[in-house]
Amino acid sequence: MPGRIEVNGRVAGTWQTATLTGIRRETPHASTFRFAVPGWAGHLPGQHLMLRLTAEDGYRAQRHYSLASAPDDSGHIELTLDRVPDGEVSGWFHTVARPGDEIEVRGPLSGFFAWPGDRPALLLGAGSGVVPLMSMVRHHRARGLTVPLRLLVSARGPEELIYADEFGAETTPVFTRTAPAGAPVGRLASAHVAPLLAEPPAGGWEAYVCGSNAFAEHASRLLVAAGQPVDRIRIERFG
């Protein structure tokens, strides 16, 4: 049974300078920030990093953020950040940050939620919880992997669906408040999950769930009710 992937403590504990090279708007409240990190050692889809901002007076703020980009050797990484009300770090990124600004990062961190691309992956995310899952989808495409991968992603409406233009046949969006004409409105439900568990791929799914505490609990219950083994559900939650 695949377990936790070991993280290189020396590499993960070293702060590196990251230079902001581009900003891409995803939704009215979320943007993707691309950084050049020449010394980046690489990461696996699903991992995150620690980010540090230092003010002119020496005050420092640190936050954990999931990596949105697929692993590659370009020396660049991407983070997708929601603007959090009164958030000092997300607020700085969304109102102050400009290409050329430098921050500090260290990582990659956490091997538990990582997906190396070696087993079927069933991904369930809500809101910005889709960020580490998108790293997995991008990795799957970039490497031309044939291992099965499916993504169920929940958003309040089409305008809040992060990465909407990138999703393909592997993705099923679920809209909880407003939806395009002809599409249903409602929470992620057993009707979305059960068919995937009824006919699982050889070896079964490794399930990855990311979102708020409430979403993580709800999605995990749906998976278990549909027959997914508890020890093959990996959860990353926020809020």
Side-chain angles (χ1 to χ4, degrees):
M1 185 71 64
R4 183 185 296 273
I5 295 169
E6 291 298 323
V7 172
N8 186 316
R10 181 185 62 80
V11 172
T14 302
W15 288 102
Q16 302 179 64
T17 298
T19 303
L20 183 60
T21 61
I23 303 172
R24 182 174 69 253
R25 176 69 68 181
E26 302 287 355
T27 74
H29 306 291
S31 292
T32 292
F33 299 84
R34 183 172 177 82
F35 299 90
V37 191
W40 187 250
H43 63 280
L44 291 173
Q47 289 187 298
H48 65 272
L49 54 68
M50 177 73 82
L51 178 154
R52 183 165 71 186
L53 298 179
T54 303
E56 292 183 1
D57 62 2
Y59 172 76
R60 286 177 169 173
Q62 297 183 174
R63 298 289 188 275
H64 287 275
Y65 288 111
S66 295
L67 288 147
S69 45
D72 61 31
D73 58 0
S74 70
H76 287 79
I77 58 174
E78 291 187 350
L79 308 176
T80 300
L81 279 59
D82 259 332
R83 183 170 183 182
V84 179
D86 300 321
E88 59 180 357
V89 173
S90 69
W92 181 85
F93 272 101
H94 281 272
T95 62
V96 177
R98 297 292 183 271
D101 288 341
E102 293 183 346
I103 63 168
E104 294 176 283
V105 298
R106 67 177 180 87
L109 305 172
S110 178
F112 176 73
F113 203 71
W115 180 69
D118 60 346
R119 51 195 180 271
L122 178 56
L123 318 177
L124 289 78
S128 59
V130 73
V131 174
L133 308 181
M134 194 61 195
S135 177
M136 300 176 189
V137 172
R138 289 168 169 164
H139 178 61
H140 189 271
R141 292 176 182 169
R143 295 295 179 89
L145 301 178
T146 58
V147 61
L149 179 145
R150 289 295 306 273
L151 169 63
L152 301 176
V153 57
S154 176
R156 284 175 287 191
E159 72 285 352
E160 296 291 338
L161 185 61
I162 301 173
Y163 313 127
D165 292 341
E166 290 190 58
F167 294 134
E170 78 288 315
T171 300
T172 299
V174 178
F175 299 112
T176 62
R177 295 188 183 178
T178 62
V185 175
R187 297 180 74 191
L188 183 73
S190 59
H192 300 107
V193 176
L196 297 171
L197 271 297
E199 297 183 13
W205 295 106
E206 193 77 11
Y208 292 80
V209 177
C210 188
S212 66
N213 285 317
F215 175 81
E217 293 298 327
H218 175 67
S220 299
R221 290 193 187 100
L222 292 177
L223 285 167
V224 173
Q228 177 70 7
V230 173
D231 62 353
R232 297 193 65 180
I233 301 175
R234 300 171 186 244
I235 301 173
E236 190 160 280
R237 62 186 81 210
F238 54 81

